[in-house]
Amino acid sequence: MNHKYFVYVLKSGVDNHIYTGLTSDLAKRVDEHNRGKVRSTKSRRPFQLVYYEEHEDKTAGRKRELFLKSGQGRLFLREKLKGHPES
């Protein structure tokens, strides 16, 4: 079975905090964040999906997630999200 994995970036409507994660079901995971089902983000709801990438396998997705959480990755996201209306 061939799953796709998504690296996603959410922005908090409370404090503009950025959260980066990995999932195989993007819509379900964003919904879980917004319904308070994710302990680490519960207090920062609501969230808006501001960026995502699709990857063919979990290993590639995890590698990209770790990059986006690094200093260089945060700079990449800052540039990528510059034109975003909520930035």
Side-chain angles (χ1 to χ4, degrees):
M1 194 149 80
N2 190 12
H3 287 289
K4 302 241 187 244
Y5 289 87
F6 300 89
V7 177
Y8 63 96
V9 178
L10 302 176
K11 189 171 195 176
S12 168
V14 173
D15 60 7
N16 289 329
H17 179 81
I18 294 292
Y19 177 85
T20 304
L22 177 69
T23 186
S24 60
D25 188 336
L26 186 58
K28 179 182 175 190
R29 191 63 174 153
V30 172
D31 184 59
E32 288 172 347
H33 281 286
N34 279 318
R35 289 189 305 127
K37 300 290 183 186
V38 182
R39 190 173 52 177
S40 65
T41 61
K42 191 174 184 174
S43 66
R44 291 189 149 105
R45 294 179 293 158
F47 285 94
Q48 180 178 17
L49 179 65
V50 293
Y51 181 75
Y52 71 92
E53 297 175 354
E54 188 175 313
H55 295 273
E56 291 297 320
D57 62 72
K58 192 173 186 177
T59 302
R62 178 71 66 206
K63 195 173 188 179
R64 185 63 173 169
E65 177 193 16
L66 291 173
F67 169 75
L68 292 176
K69 289 179 175 181
S70 74
Q72 275 189 306
R74 287 193 302 271
L75 288 174
F76 168 84
L77 286 172
R78 190 175 302 139
E79 281 299 309
K80 196 74 157 164
L81 299 176
K82 254 186 188 174
H84 194 273
E86 300 296 318
S87 295

